[in-house]
Amino acid sequence: MTRSQHFSDSQAALFAHDEVPPQGAPRAEKSPSYIRDHRARLRERFLIGGPEALPDYEMLELVLFRAIPRRDVKPLARLLLETFGDYNGVLSAPTHRLSEVSGVGDAVICELKVIEAAAHRLARSRVLQKPILSGWNALLEYCQTAMAHGDIEQFRVLYLDRKNVLIADEQQAQGTVDHVPVYPREVVKRALELNATALILVHNHPSGDPTPSEADIVVTEQVQQAAEALGIVLHDHLVIGKSRELSFRAEGLL
């Protein structure tokens, strides 16, 4: 592929404007030329080839550039990957665990969490106010993005209207690493407030294994009974693991 005329190895200074110290902080020495050149080359490769052209550690370098303007961030990117497993694991790691990694401060945590929030919002925009049953893959992608890497259980309810359009996505509760309290009465009460006619339950298993527990099965039955009494349909209950999800309906549990 022809190299872009707007980016070249000699144009590292083009990006110097976004590498400034926080307001009020003393201006640091300009970063060495080899670091500026490396950053320019990496940005060029990303803009030309897209994310597929970069391995995980280089994608992390791009995120870290703004947080750490004048140092080589490759060692930190590799350390983060070693600690949290992969790119998604780094972005979704809890703040307290990120802060335990040598070289990670508030600026790095902020950059990582901004990227994570952007990913969540983008995935959510692809399902909110859209027919869920005809966009099932987008729904699964959203649930994986939002919940797969959480270190505590969270329980969400997706509320649908009579055309199965997603009208609300709400977190009903958070729990511990292996338990989350669920109140069926509150779930259906909220459905009535939203004029929802159908539900999809979603919760994650921080262990990574989406196999439902006996408690998962019992609470699903309770929600289904409460919903049916009010003419509300429970379409499914999704359990989100690290790399896959389980559907109660597909497994014959609904």
Side-chain angles (χ1 to χ4, degrees), residues 144 153 177-179 203-220 237-248 251 253:
Q144 281 285 341
E153 281 199 20
V177 294
D178 60 1
H179 173 72
H203 85 281
N204 64 314
H205 278 182
S207 68
D209 180 3
T211 303
S213 66
E214 184 61 33
D216 294 337
I217 294 172
V218 169
V219 77
T220 303
H237 184 170
L238 301 175
V239 186
I240 307 300
K242 282 288 191 297
S243 58
R244 66 185 181 93
E245 65 284 329
L246 180 141
S247 160
F248 267 53
E251 295 294 319
L253 297 174

Side-chain angles (χ1 to χ4, degrees), residues 61-127:
E61 283 190 75
L62 286 174
V63 177
L64 296 172
F65 283 171
R66 291 182 61 84
I68 305 176
R70 295 175 179 83
R71 295 205 315 269
D72 181 8
V73 297
K74 185 183 299 183
L76 179 57
R78 290 188 179 277
L79 177 58
L80 285 166
L81 288 171
E82 290 172 5
T83 304
F84 299 108
D86 58 19
Y87 184 78
N88 291 333
V90 173
L91 293 183
S92 57
T95 297
H96 71 275
R97 290 198 60 201
L98 287 169
S99 66
E100 295 170 355
V101 178
S102 178
V104 172
D106 290 345
V108 168
I109 292 173
C110 182
E111 292 296 329
L112 294 173
K113 290 306 169 186
V114 166
I115 300 298
E116 181 192 25
H120 288 184
R121 291 193 180 193
L122 178 61
R124 189 171 186 266
S125 71
R126 291 172 175 165
V127 296

